Amino acid sequence: MSKFRMHILVCGGTGCMSSSSGEIFDVFEKELSANSLSNEVQVIKTGCFGFCEQGPIVKIYPDNVFYVQVKPADVSRIISEHVIKGRTVPDILYKNPESKETVAEHREIPFYHSQLRIALRNCGLINPEEIDDYISVSGYEALGKCLTEISREDVISAVKASGLRGRGGAGVSTGFKWEMAYKSQGDKKYVICNADEGDPGAFMDRSILEGDPHSVLEAMAICGYAIGADEGVIYIRAEYPLAVERLRIAIRQAEEYGLLGDDILGSGFSFHISLSLGAGAFVCGEETALMNSVQGMRGEPRMKPPFPAQAGLWHKPSNVNNVETWANIPPIILKGADWFKSIGTEKSPGTKVFALAGQINNVGLVEVPMGIKLRDIIYKVGGGVRGGKRFKAVQTGGPSGGCIPAELLDLAIDYDSLQSVGSMMGSGGMIVMDETDCMVNIAKYYLEFTVEESCGKCTPCRIGNRRLLEILEKITSGQGTEDDLTELKDLSAAIQDSSLCALGQTAPNPVVSTMKYFWDEYIAHVRDKKCTAGKCTSMLTYKVTDKCIGCTICAKNCPVNAISGSLKSLHSIDPAKCVKCGVCFNKCPKQAIERV
Amino acid sequence: MSKIKSLDELKKIREQSKGGTDIRVTGENPDRVVLAVGMATCGIAAGARVTMSTLLDEIDKAGLDNVSVVATGCLGFCYAEPLVEVRTPGREPIRYANVDAARAKEIIDKHVKQGILLDNAIIGKEVPRQ
Ligand SMILES: Cc1cc2nc3c(=O)[nH]c(=O)nc-3n(C[C@H](O)[C@H](O)[C@H](O)COP(=O)(O)O)c2cc1C
Ligand code: FES
């Protein structure tokens, strides 16, 4: 057989690798060779499929069959049944949680129905460590086309016309930024890839770099050509070892082919890319702090203007874009601005990758067209709220974003609509909360993060946010007053107005948005000293009701011996000793413990 | 690896390396034609491996990017193996009997490329796909 009749793709994303996909890959190679199938069937390690919840993932082409939660011990059955006899192995197929039916074909899994993959187009399709795989799907042709057929100005016009907006947070027009950097005078310019990805829960940038590193390299070279830069820097956190490794391999392979380096494709244009490893501070994702960090200085932001396009890295004109922004560039060049504009909404064309997390069934990475309804992401793609609980809110935009309540589930999401409801796109984190989540507590959680990550350079952020956090701690511990709520509002406004960088300016957003949509909960905390969700433990009291049969289970399990009572008689809890851990509540066989 | 010196050279490499990924790209195409080869014990004993490799080679030679070849289990006509079922979206599947290398070539040339059925080789009644 002159070529492989079957390809077995094993997910090599961080999620699946941390289960046992590395071992699964090895067992496949071993057993295929033991069955003399190595010449017929090829095993390939790919990037993330996005369905990490169901990992490790194994996908088989050309049948397009998708196996989930595969264990190394399943490999021999896949080979004897599927590879040799052409029968699927039913128990490791995806099972539709509603209909309980197994689904073999990838595209028939509801999780993938509403998805449209542009930035993630090659993740889970190609081998990221093999440049020929990337070239086979038209890789580096956008760069080749730019260098040989399109003028620098026309490249910029095309990106501008596509309407692509930065996927790293603020959503600025990418073409506009390129144009600014192009017009800036300088003997030296830089192209920077922001791969810091500090939002808790977001991992789209990591997945793109792990699954399709060449698309980012190609896009950076295109930008270098357009703005007149010959050097690129990828700023990536050292906590992403697999992404770093795959980038290193990709850069080396691209250099060997002469697709990076001097005189690319004989055009006279030269472009070199290096990596700069960060230590993983959230603020270093802010572009001016990032550039300071690359220069070996403290990762602190500075005032803008001057913008990076005017005075960036080493004071030279620079253009910073986010990983996902970069991944959109080659398809825009190859397929044209009109194609891109036909997807998404008028002001936010294209797609966005979201990282679904929290109380949702399908935790994972999804790419959907802009303008999709929140409801569709959460219920259709995400499979709904975990454990059949009631949806309460979704937090978007990470620590700078806000919480969106159930009333707004029909919001069609894009940059502007999210902002209009007091949240933001951010990097695309999406954390779903259900009825057992306390919104005051959520606001506190995000503030703990920003207080921890504040660089301390400006006072409003360093001290203001700490004061905000203290007030929230007071409220969640049952000590809050109505004056505290006024204070929260005033202080938030002051911090938003006066902080130096967007970290401080946006840190109060989770507080402001939860106060806007869940005011009742704040009032219940300060006025009635009640946490309706039952999360703020210091406001809870546990009582034994007369359903008690005196079985003594609660007393035996109480870690602080706060429960007394003899066999077959009513027990009672000593409120002075009780630490409100809830063990008795969960252990009681008769639901005789009441939590109020 | 030697350096690529022009866009044309890059495109040439793309064509060469396509063979490395095209069964994946085709596999994603919802309108593809699937050729299922019976690869149970009976099929293999009757020479289904040769059938399969011929189909793959012919598809490759013809540069068809909407045809996948998959192995399938016993189709229940053991006397007529090797069997090939042609599944075209939206149409009843067609089964061919005794598909040796020559007939495999004919299936690609006539049925797949031109839509002409090989009447003398069709087996059984057309059975709807489950
Ligand atoms: C506190 C803070 C953290 C940020 N973190 C990131 C990040 O992790 N990744 C990123 O691409 N942009 C981050 N940004 C946005 C960058 O400053 C910048 O706007 C972005 O990299 C520009 O690229 P884009 O136009 O492609 O979005 C952050 C901004 C702030 C204020
Ligand atoms: S890491 Fe395997 S599906 Fe995400």
Side-chain angles (χ1 to χ4, degrees), chain A residues 380-458:
Chain A
K380 282 197 188 152
V381 182
V385 181
R386 204 172 269 239
K389 294 228 175 66
R390 194 168 53 84
F391 171 88
K392 185 168 191 177
V394 56
Q395 208 279 351
T396 74
S400 313
C403 290
I404 304 174
E407 304 91 89
L408 293 174
L409 267 177
D410 285 312
L411 187 76
I413 36 183
D414 65 10
Y415 287 97
D416 311 292
S417 68
L418 284 175
Q419 221 144 36
S420 73
V421 299
S423 186
M424 61 186 271
M425 186 72 82
S427 61
M430 220 174 239
I431 301 175
V432 174
M433 294 153 198
D434 68 22
E435 52 202 335
T436 65
D437 285 306
C438 162
M439 301 315 282
V440 187
N441 201 41
I442 293 287
K444 189 180 91 182
Y445 165 81
Y446 281 105
L447 262 199
E448 279 166 359
F449 179 85
T450 31
V451 164
E452 173 84 21
E453 294 289 341
S454 168
C455 75
K457 188 173 177 183
C458 75

Side-chain angles (χ1 to χ4, degrees), chain A residues 40 59 61-62 136 141, chain B residues 14 21 24 27-28 32 49:
Chain A
E40 279 181 44
K59 185 171 178 186
Y61 284 110
S136 78
E141 264 171 53
Chain B
R14 184 233 292 154
T21 53
R24 287 172 244 165
E28 288 297 328
R32 74 206 159 119
R49 273 181 196 287

Side-chain angles (χ1 to χ4, degrees), chain A residues 23-335:
Chain A
E23 195 190 336
I24 292 172
F25 181 86
D26 295 340
V27 180
F28 263 119
E29 293 227 300
K30 219 171 65 211
E31 300 216 358
L32 282 173
S33 127
N35 283 290
S36 320
L37 287 165
S38 305
N39 293 331
E40 279 181 44
V41 180
Q42 188 185 20
V43 202
I44 301 132
K45 204 182 277 176
T46 68
C48 171
F49 286 87
F51 212 2
C52 316
E53 171 81 19
Q54 294 284 335
I57 303 286
V58 169
K59 185 171 178 186
I60 299 195
Y61 284 110
D63 322 35
N64 212 341
V65 167
F66 198 80
Y67 289 115
V68 297
Q69 298 182 6
V70 178
K71 289 177 286 305
D74 296 326
V75 170
S76 61
R77 283 191 306 147
I78 297 181
I79 291 181
S80 64
E81 285 294 299
H82 193 141
V83 177
I84 298 180
K85 296 190 191 134
R87 295 196 286 240
T88 51
V89 185
D91 57 299
I92 44 173
L93 289 176
Y94 178 71
K95 212 177 258 111
N96 188 324
E98 272 167 27
S99 64
K100 306 278 179 242
E101 277 169 18
T102 55
V103 187
E105 279 218 25
H106 175 209
R107 59 176 151 261
E108 279 161 17
I109 297 176
F111 177 72
Y112 288 104
H113 274 174
S114 313
Q115 294 203 44
L116 175 68
R117 301 188 144 214
I118 299 175
L120 298 176
R121 63 194 178 281
N122 293 327
C123 289
L125 183 73
I126 64 168
N127 177 349
E129 296 181 7
E130 191 44 76
I131 191 170
D132 282 351
D133 262 28
Y134 182 64
I135 291 178
S136 78
V137 289
S138 303
Y140 287 104
E141 264 171 53
L143 174 63
K145 195 168 151 191
C146 289
L147 295 182
T148 46
E149 293 166 11
I150 315 180
S151 72
R152 296 170 55 194
E153 295 75 14
D154 287 347
V155 172
I156 292 172
S157 317
V159 175
K160 235 174 135 178
S162 75
L164 174 66
R165 297 171 69 170
R167 303 300 195 232
V172 180
S173 153
T174 303
F176 171 78
K177 284 196 346 191
W178 288 24
E179 187 171 49
M180 241 171 57
Y182 163 81
K183 285 190 180 149
S184 234
Q185 298 298 320
D187 51 340
K188 174 98 188 168
K189 293 182 186 177
Y190 290 96
V191 173
I192 299 169
C193 169
N194 187 344
D196 189 57
E197 197 164 52
D199 282 10
F203 58 103
M204 55 284 290
D205 294 350
R206 187 189 74 203
S207 287
I208 291 171
L209 293 171
E210 285 175 4
D212 192 19
H214 285 287
S215 67
V216 173
L217 304 182
E218 180 182 6
M220 289 175 73
I222 291 171
C223 176
Y225 166 71
I227 70 170
D230 64 353
E231 207 177 323
V233 178
I234 300 176
Y235 185 81
I236 179 167
R237 46 179 58 216
E239 291 142 311
Y240 281 0
L242 192 59
V244 170
E245 168 70 15
R246 296 213 171 126
L247 274 172
R248 289 218 165 101
I249 295 172
I251 292 173
R252 200 187 58 232
Q253 291 180 342
E255 282 170 350
E256 279 169 8
Y257 261 153
L259 295 166
L260 284 179
D262 293 328
D263 190 19
I264 297 172
L265 297 176
S267 66
F269 168 69
S270 302
F271 195 73
H272 297 263
I273 295 181
S274 59
L275 300 186
S276 177
L277 300 197
F282 179 58
V283 74
C284 286
E286 197 283 333
E287 52 194 11
T288 60
L290 180 154
M291 292 183 300
N292 277 336
S293 174
V294 173
Q295 291 174 206
M297 301 193 298
R298 281 178 83 130
E300 286 179 344
R302 60 159 173 79
M303 290 285 282
K304 288 189 280 192
F307 291 99
Q310 300 154 326
L313 189 59
W314 307 110
H315 302 286
K316 304 292 181 193
S318 306
N319 177 66
V320 186
N321 276 128
N322 164 263
V323 172
E324 190 187 330
T325 314
W326 290 120
N328 277 293
I329 296 289
I332 288 177
I333 299 290
L334 288 179
K335 298 186 180 176

